Amino acid sequence: EVEVYKYYADGHWHKSSSAKSVSIINPTTRKTQFKVQACTQEEVNKVMEAAKVAQKAWARTPLWKRAELLHKAAAILKEHKAPIAECLVKEIAKPAKDAVTEVVRSGDLVSYTAEEGVRILGEGKLLVSDSFPGNERSKYCLSSKIPLGVVLAIPPFNYPVNLAVSKIAPALIAGNALVLKPPTQGAVAALHMIHCFHLAGFPKGLINCVTGKGSEIGDFLTMHPGVNCISFTGGDTGIAISKKAGMIPLQMELGGKDACIVLEDADLDLVAANIVKGGFSYSGQRCTAVKVVLIMDSVADEVVEKVKSKMGKLTVGPPEDDCDITPVVTESSANFIEGLVMDAKEKGATFCQEYRREGNLIWPLLLDHVRPDMRIAWEEPFGPVLPIIRIQSVEEGIHHCNASNFGLQGCVFTRDINKAIMISDAMETGTVQINSAPARGPDHFPFQGLKDSGIGSQGITNSINMMVKVKSTVINLP
Ligand code: G3H
């Protein structure tokens, strides 16, 4: 019998009155692993009400006490890393060691946020009037940061714990209440993580986690008048949310087509190592994965050989065995990836390995001589398939990168730092990594996408600042 997990609201675990559930399919076995409650709109309304009430009291709770509770939650999270990681293995087929790393990283993120919060929120500003023309020194403006209210957090399947706490911790330290809508795949890991916050002793109603069908509660949540901020990580849905949401701050991290530009003078072993790590970690299911390699023709053969040899060492199989390449999250995702591969085949890409798939498991594949008329040149597979486009000039590489509708990260490999900086300036992406594959972390670094890759900037400090408003009080002297 498959366990049906309860949702969390008002400090308790509940069954939904819908008496319905949503199934979580194990990507490896393709069988139902867990079930979660299919919450109703009425239940969402109740959660919002409770969150609103809890937030008022929380905003008056001293900052150091808020930080103390977050530190406690971080410690509990780390203590419970094993059962949470086990869920990640079963729900999203994350390799066993990476699953543990995600939880530990999440604990560290929560602690860091508590520390950062007490510092940046503990500071206000004093302005005096006589610096603006026509004013005497008769007005003193005191400004500080106040919470927004209720933050709605929607993380993606690939980091259901880490990209949840990266929204939860800043929201809480800043004095907000939180409603979490976890992804279906990863929902049980998220519920376990929420349980750690429950054990830490946060006030009732402050943190809530509703599960259910997007069709039933998705729009209802994102358009709910009780929501004062949305922090979303995921795909195209984010664009739809931004069109429907009200006049509230939005933080969106959406897709990417991160380009890796390789110059002739690059350290080619370093390049190959980063292409394999960047392209194939968690089977390419990272928004920051290397998704297209743009390489100078003169060094392309050598790099392709080095990459192929490293790819030959990648282990392929179940996440329980800590394999490098594990089944992709859903069958529809595997079908989509296959569609991109078949399109490239029809249009004449060179297959560096044979295409192989069993169920959701797709063997790592490097496609050489990809041309701009192939879908894989522009679309993100979110799987272990990486296209190589050979370029004749750096300008051609920059042009391809900037012609994308995405602009998350990019990377450039060269020993010439001046060239690297100039290329970084020319690339229309939120971050450019010099001589390393794209990555979000360390988690206090700013993280942002241009164009269809997102709105706003994440990273611990930026997320805290995004989840507050400035409030001023002006003292007028007679
Ligand atoms: O999938 C999107 C994540 O923000 C990427 O994070 O660079 O740590 O894998 P990562």
Side-chain angles (χ1 to χ4, degrees):
E1 190 60 13
V2 175
E3 190 164 354
V4 188
Y5 282 83
K6 293 175 180 166
Y7 74 97
Y8 185 70
D10 211 14
H12 300 284
W13 297 95
H14 304 266
K15 276 188 182 168
S16 170
S17 60
S18 71
K20 286 187 194 145
S21 62
V22 180
S23 297
I24 296 163
I25 312 292
N26 181 322
T28 312
T29 63
R30 295 193 287 157
K31 296 207 170 83
T32 301
Q33 182 73 47
F34 304 120
K35 288 182 179 180
V36 291
Q37 307 292 321
C39 291
T40 63
Q41 296 185 351
E42 210 172 296
E43 283 157 350
V44 167
N45 280 336
K46 272 196 196 155
V47 161
M48 290 296 171
E49 272 312 305
K52 200 172 168 183
V53 173
Q55 191 269 327
K56 300 275 180 237
W58 182 243
R60 291 192 300 273
T61 303
L63 189 47
W64 67 265
K65 274 196 187 173
R66 288 188 229 153
E68 206 171 69
L69 280 174
L70 282 170
H71 281 300
K72 209 168 157 190
I76 298 172
L77 194 57
K78 284 189 177 182
E79 270 167 41
H80 291 76
K81 61 179 188 273
I84 301 174
E86 205 178 305
C87 292
L88 293 172
V89 168
K90 289 183 177 143
E91 291 184 273
I92 60 165
K94 186 163 274 200
K97 274 190 200 144
D98 291 354
V100 174
T101 305
E102 174 171 347
V103 185
V104 173
R105 175 182 180 182
S106 301
D108 291 340
L109 191 154
V110 174
S111 296
Y112 193 106
T113 308
E115 286 166 18
E116 185 76 343
V118 290
R119 301 215 183 341
I120 62 177
L121 298 167
E123 261 180 17
K125 238 184 182 180
L126 167 67
L127 286 92
V128 287
S129 50
D130 62 343
S131 58
F132 198 85
N135 281 273
E136 298 298 319
R137 199 180 178 85
S138 59
K139 291 172 187 285
Y140 288 76
C141 176
L142 305 169
S143 68
S144 62
K145 290 168 182 169
I146 58 163
L148 298 173
V150 178
V151 173
L152 173 63
I154 309 181
F157 83 83
N158 61 350
Y159 285 98
V161 174
N162 185 261
L163 281 169
V165 300
S166 72
K167 303 168 192 317
I168 295 171
L172 294 178
I173 194 68
N176 298 289
L178 200 283
V179 176
L180 175 72
K181 163 66 179 74
T184 297
Q185 303 292 138
V188 176
L191 288 167
H192 277 72
M193 174 271 295
I194 287 290
H195 188 56
C196 299
F197 282 80
H198 171 79
L199 293 174
F202 283 89
K204 284 181 182 169
L206 187 71
I207 303 170
N208 309 276
C209 182
V210 291
T211 52
K213 294 197 175 83
S215 55
E216 173 72 15
I217 57 166
D219 279 355
F220 192 75
L221 273 165
T222 54
M223 295 166 77
H224 200 285
V227 170
N228 304 107
C229 169
I230 301 175
S231 179
F232 174 94
T233 306
D236 289 353
T237 320
I239 297 177
I241 292 173
S242 71
K243 287 181 181 148
K244 291 182 204 161
M247 200 179 69
I248 54 172
L250 301 178
Q251 186 181 49
M252 299 268 163
E253 188 223 316
L254 312 180
K257 186 72 185 172
D258 293 6
C260 171
I261 300 182
V262 183
L263 272 55
E264 285 155 319
D265 70 342
D267 173 341
L268 301 186
D269 287 313
L270 182 72
V271 169
N274 275 277
I275 288 176
V276 174
K277 183 167 171 268
F280 298 101
S281 308
Y282 187 36
S283 308
Q285 296 175 111
R286 296 163 55 234
C287 54
T288 47
V290 169
K291 299 210 176 93
V292 59
V293 178
L294 302 159
I295 184 162
M296 290 297 287
D297 204 17
S298 57
V299 289
D301 285 342
E302 200 178 335
V303 171
V304 167
E305 279 317 307
K306 285 180 192 288
V307 171
K308 268 165 65 178
S309 130
K310 283 187 188 298
M311 284 174 70
K313 296 191 185 111
L314 293 174
T315 53
V316 183
E320 286 83 359
D321 295 353
D322 203 36
C323 289
D324 299 311
I325 303 295
T326 55
V328 297
V329 69
T330 57
E331 192 174 338
S332 65
S333 174
N335 292 343
F336 176 77
I337 297 162
E338 185 163 297
L340 293 180
V341 171
M342 291 310 141
D343 174 78
K345 190 173 190 178
E346 273 162 34
K347 292 175 183 158
T350 305
F351 280 51
C352 297
Q353 299 84 8
E354 209 181 318
Y355 174 65
R356 188 170 166 203
R357 170 182 172 187
E358 277 171 25
N360 293 1
L361 186 60
I362 294 176
W363 269 251
L365 178 62
L366 190 68
L367 298 175
D368 197 1
H369 298 285
V370 165
R371 290 189 323 264
D373 64 322
M374 299 176 192
R375 286 175 59 202
I376 193 98
W378 305 104
E379 296 180 44
E380 55 169 348
F382 234 69
V385 179
L386 184 60
I388 295 200
I389 297 180
R390 292 166 178 241
I391 51 173
Q392 305 305 323
S393 69
V394 174
E395 288 68 31
E396 197 184 330
I398 295 170
H399 179 265
H400 186 94
C401 167
N402 292 350
S404 171
N405 58 318
F406 292 118
L408 190 59
Q409 292 207 358
C411 58
V412 53
F413 285 84
T414 172
R415 288 190 168 97
D416 184 334
I417 188 66
N418 293 348
K419 266 193 199 162
I421 300 278
M422 283 193 291
I423 293 167
S424 169
D425 284 350
M427 286 168 83
E428 293 166 3
T429 62
T431 301
V432 174
Q433 306 269 352
I434 297 172
N435 292 327
S436 185
R440 170 166 49 110
D443 291 336
H444 64 305
F445 280 13
F447 181 51
Q448 55 280 317
L450 306 185
K451 300 189 267 186
D452 285 355
S453 289
I455 309 173
S457 178
Q458 296 184 83
I460 290 170
T461 313
N462 286 347
S463 290
I464 296 172
N465 282 325
M466 185 260 171
M467 292 177 183
V468 290
K469 270 189 186 183
V470 173
K471 165 80 187 263
S472 297
T473 300
V474 180
I475 303 167
N476 289 274
L477 300 180

